Amino acid sequence: MSQVEERLAALGLQIPNPVAPVANYVPFVRVGDLVHISGQVSLDADGGIRGTVGADVDMETGVKAARLCGINLIAQMRAACEGDLDRVVRVVKLGGFVQAAQDFTAIPQVVNGASDLMVEAFGDAGRHARSAVGVYRLPMNFAVEVDAVVAVR
């Protein structure tokens, strides 16, 4: 078990199998030492967190949704690294998208759910640049979607 997976296990987290794409794209593309990971939605084995943050999804649940996205990103990282998360050198950037109600402005705080997980999992190598954007709709009504750029060896 990698050191990253040991940290995640200590947090009570298991990394699921990566989610297959739902349209005409691939889950990640590696170019040199960078892996670009397609957006991962707030999906889990129970169907995930769907809805509009600030309307039918509260702030706390929105943060949990972003954390689910982070877990799904780590699943894709593991696949890109052939099962060895210790090959992740740095989480370079996250792009967070929150399906937000018209007057909901706490977008960065929601995306912190994914950002905090990256630091918990990868330590200082998990600190990253980031975008956090509120959007009108996300695919299949998921509350949050996050994509990533990761440096690997």
Side-chain angles (χ1 to χ4, degrees):
M1 181 181 291
S2 74
Q3 290 179 345
V4 173
E5 287 189 85
E6 288 176 7
R7 282 189 212 115
L8 293 169
L11 294 169
L13 298 174
Q14 276 193 332
I15 301 304
N17 290 325
V19 177
V22 297
N24 188 17
Y25 63 92
V26 294
F28 59 85
V29 172
R30 183 172 178 171
V31 179
D33 65 348
L34 292 179
V35 176
H36 295 258
I37 303 171
S38 296
Q40 301 296 301
V41 294
S42 48
L43 176 67
D44 63 9
D46 296 326
I49 299 173
R50 299 173 195 252
T52 302
V53 182
D56 44 64
V57 174
D58 64 22
M59 173 75 170
E60 181 180 337
T61 305
V63 172
K64 289 177 185 175
R67 191 170 177 89
L68 281 177
C69 295
I71 290 167
N72 291 327
L73 284 169
I74 293 171
Q76 296 294 353
M77 289 177 206
R78 186 173 61 186
C81 291
E82 300 164 340
D84 184 3
L85 284 169
D86 288 342
R87 289 180 49 199
V88 173
V89 174
R90 180 80 190 236
V91 178
V92 177
K93 184 172 184 193
L94 296 183
F97 305 88
V98 177
Q99 183 170 275
Q102 184 174 354
D103 59 348
F104 185 79
T105 60
I107 309 302
Q109 292 84 347
V110 169
V111 179
N112 280 347
S115 292
D116 292 347
L117 177 62
M118 294 304 143
V119 175
E120 291 169 13
F122 298 100
D124 281 340
R127 296 190 185 283
H128 51 273
R130 186 180 89 177
S131 299
V133 180
V135 298
Y136 172 67
R137 288 286 177 257
L138 286 172
M140 297 170 280
N141 198 38
F142 281 103
V144 181
E145 181 174 349
V146 182
D147 61 19
V149 178
V150 182
V152 299
R153 58 185 148 113

